[in-house]
């Protein structure tokens, strides 16, 4: 063979190297196109994730709370610490208060369901039950049957705590705003719990003030055998409150703040004594209190409180419309 006819091994090596590199590049392109999306890790931030399983609880900041509250999430102890029965006020034929075609019953249901979901996420050790999860109220025949059913559910569901959520209205004065909690005068446990809820609602700027009222006769509280409260979340007749009550983001913030207060209080007070009614007196009188009157009385009490704050010379316990011989709540 002539000298010039011998194969050029140097050129063959370069050709093979270039070919190999080309194959690698093509392979990388194909891999990135076909598989990269499948395996790209997603950064899911769970506001109620248990980030420290070694502890009985962990803390995390919620994206729905403006960083104003530190929420605790509790590790599942596989034991029920307490049962909480949440009650969305009104429903079905009973629309409750109405403002600008907005029905109270719908706001109550939406927020109550949100509270239930957050409470379940924050604390698996609390059993959460509800009197209604939809607008259907098949038990409703009149206000008395409605109240009786909700009260009976406290026993049927074997609840330790009963929390009924409502929205207020006071057409006489649109400046009246804030949250109101009805409790029994001797129920110190529930007074402490609703104070914690009120503090959380203030922390997220949901309300500027809240009142705890313990001298009103309402069946769902006064005749209850467990720790019970009726919560008026705000006034549908007040511009600031109505905006919060109807804004989904604000509803989320309030629901999580309420759920956190319930969860933390129960875990901090696992041995809280059961509620014991001091007397069975006035049971017949209380059972005839109509459901709708709750909102009106709460509004009047809130108006009286705010007027007293504006005028320090006014005695908030003095009401010219109150019968001085009326029997106090038991």
């Amino acid at each position: 063979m002539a000298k010039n006819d011998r194969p050029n091994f140097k050129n063959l090596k370069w050709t093979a190297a270039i070919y190999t590199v080309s194959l690698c590049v093509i392979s990388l392109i194909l891999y990135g196109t076909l598989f990269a999306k499948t395996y790209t890790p997603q950064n899911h931030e769970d506001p109620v994730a248990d980030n420290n399983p070694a502890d009985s609880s962990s803390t995390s900041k919620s994206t729905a709370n403006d960083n104003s509250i530190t929420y605790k999430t509790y590790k599942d102890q596989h034991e029920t610490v307490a049962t909480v029965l949440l009650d969305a006020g009104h429903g079905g034929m009973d629309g409750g208060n109405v403002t600008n075609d907005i029905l109270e019953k719908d706001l109550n249901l939406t927020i109550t369901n949100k509270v239930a979901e957050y409470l379940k996420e924050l604390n698996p050790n609390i059993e959460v039950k509800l009197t209604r999860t939809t607008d259907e109220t098949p038990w409703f025949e009149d206000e008395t049957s409605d109240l009786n059913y909700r009260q009976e559910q406290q026993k049927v569901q074997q609840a330790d705590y009963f929390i009924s959520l409502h929205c207020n209205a006071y057409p006489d004065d649109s400046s009246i705003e804030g949250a109101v909690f009805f409790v029994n005068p001797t129920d110190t446990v529930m007074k402490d719990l609703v104070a914690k809820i009120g503090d959380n609602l203030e922390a997220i700027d949901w309300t500027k003030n809240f009142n705890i009222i313990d001298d009103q006769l309402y069946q769902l509280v006064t005749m209850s055998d467990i720790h019970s409260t009726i919560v008026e979340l705000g006034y549908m007749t007040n511009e600031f409150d109505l905006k919060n009550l109807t804004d989904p983001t604000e509803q989320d913030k309030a629901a999580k703040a309420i759920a956190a207060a319930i969860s933390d209080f129960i875990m901090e007070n696992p041995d809280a004594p059961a509620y014991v009614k001091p007397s069975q007196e006035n049971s017949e009188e209380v059972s005839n209190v109509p459901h709708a009157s709750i909102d009106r009385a709460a509004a009047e009490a809130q108006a009286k409180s705010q007027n007293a704050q504006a005028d320090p010379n006014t005695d908030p316990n003095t009401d010219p419309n109150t019968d001085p011989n009326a029997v106090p709540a038991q």
Side-chain angles (χ1 to χ4, degrees):
M1 179 182 293
K3 180 178 181 181
N4 293 334
D5 292 336
R6 285 185 297 179
N8 191 334
F9 292 104
K10 184 176 182 180
N11 291 338
L12 288 175
K13 289 181 180 179
W14 276 108
T15 300
I18 293 172
Y19 181 75
T20 302
V21 170
S22 298
L23 285 177
C24 291
V25 171
I26 293 172
S27 298
L28 287 174
I29 293 173
L30 288 174
Y31 178 85
T33 302
L34 297 176
F35 303 108
K37 289 184 179 179
T38 303
Y39 296 103
T40 299
Q42 300 296 319
N43 183 20
H44 294 298
E45 292 185 4
D46 185 353
V48 290
D50 188 351
N51 298 320
N52 189 358
D55 297 333
S56 61
S57 68
S58 64
T59 60
S60 62
K61 290 289 186 179
S62 168
T63 57
N65 73 330
D66 294 336
N67 294 327
S68 55
I69 299 175
T70 299
Y71 292 98
K72 291 183 179 179
T73 60
Y74 293 87
K75 183 179 179 181
D76 191 352
Q77 301 174 1
H78 305 291
E79 180 181 358
T80 299
V81 177
T83 299
V84 175
L85 178 60
L86 299 175
D87 173 49
H90 305 284
M93 296 173 60
D94 179 11
N97 291 307
V98 183
T99 298
N100 300 333
D101 295 328
I102 300 170
L103 299 180
E104 178 196 348
K105 67 172 185 176
D106 296 330
L107 298 178
N108 296 343
L109 181 61
T110 297
I111 297 174
T112 300
N113 284 342
K114 288 176 182 285
V115 172
E117 289 305 312
Y118 275 120
L119 188 51
K120 291 174 183 178
E121 291 179 8
L122 290 173
N123 199 332
N125 306 292
I126 294 176
E127 186 170 8
V128 183
K129 298 184 177 181
L130 300 99
T131 56
R132 69 182 181 102
T133 57
T134 68
D135 188 46
E136 296 181 3
T137 54
W139 63 84
F140 188 94
E141 296 178 1
D142 50 33
E143 290 176 343
T144 299
S145 64
D146 182 53
L147 288 172
N148 288 342
Y149 173 84
R150 295 172 198 258
Q151 183 186 347
E152 289 168 359
Q153 288 302 301
Q154 298 176 11
K155 293 183 179 179
V156 171
Q157 302 290 355
Q158 298 181 320
D160 300 295
Y161 296 87
F162 175 80
I163 300 172
S164 183
L165 299 179
H166 289 251
C167 300
N168 234 327
Y170 195 47
D172 297 354
D173 187 350
S174 62
S175 69
I176 303 302
E177 52 83 34
V180 181
F181 303 90
F182 288 100
V183 297
N184 279 311
T186 58
D187 193 350
T188 57
V189 171
M190 184 53 78
K191 285 182 180 180
D192 290 341
L193 173 52
V194 298
K196 196 175 188 71
I197 294 175
D199 288 341
N200 274 11
L201 292 177
E202 283 189 339
I204 62 170
D205 294 326
W206 170 273
T207 183
K208 298 175 183 177
N209 65 83
F210 66 90
N211 280 325
I212 301 174
I213 299 174
D214 65 359
D215 60 354
Q216 300 293 322
L217 291 169
Y218 297 126
Q219 178 174 342
L220 293 181
V221 173
T222 311
M223 294 183 66
S224 176
D225 292 321
I226 63 176
H227 300 296
S228 301
T229 182
I230 294 173
V231 181
E232 297 285 355
L233 291 166
Y235 286 80
M236 296 172 64
T237 46
N238 177 268
E239 183 178 359
F240 175 82
D241 282 1
L242 184 61
K243 179 183 181 300
N244 283 343
L245 290 168
T246 56
D247 185 323
T249 299
E250 295 300 324
Q251 290 174 348
D252 276 338
K253 288 169 58 178
K256 190 165 188 180
I258 293 170
I262 296 171
S263 173
D264 290 344
F265 179 85
I266 289 176
M267 298 305 286
E268 292 164 4
N269 301 275
D271 299 320
Y275 174 66
V276 179
K277 289 191 293 188
S279 171
Q280 294 294 331
E281 296 177 9
N282 301 317
S283 59
E284 181 177 346
E285 181 180 354
V286 173
S287 65
N288 293 324
V289 175
H291 198 181
S293 71
I294 294 172
D295 303 320
R296 178 71 187 184
E300 291 175 348
Q302 188 79 331
K304 185 169 60 176
S305 173
Q306 288 187 215
N307 290 335
Q309 292 176 10
D311 183 2
N313 296 320
T314 301
D315 182 357
N317 296 315
T318 301
D319 186 345
N321 299 319
T322 301
D323 180 1
N325 297 317
V327 180
Q330 298 296 315

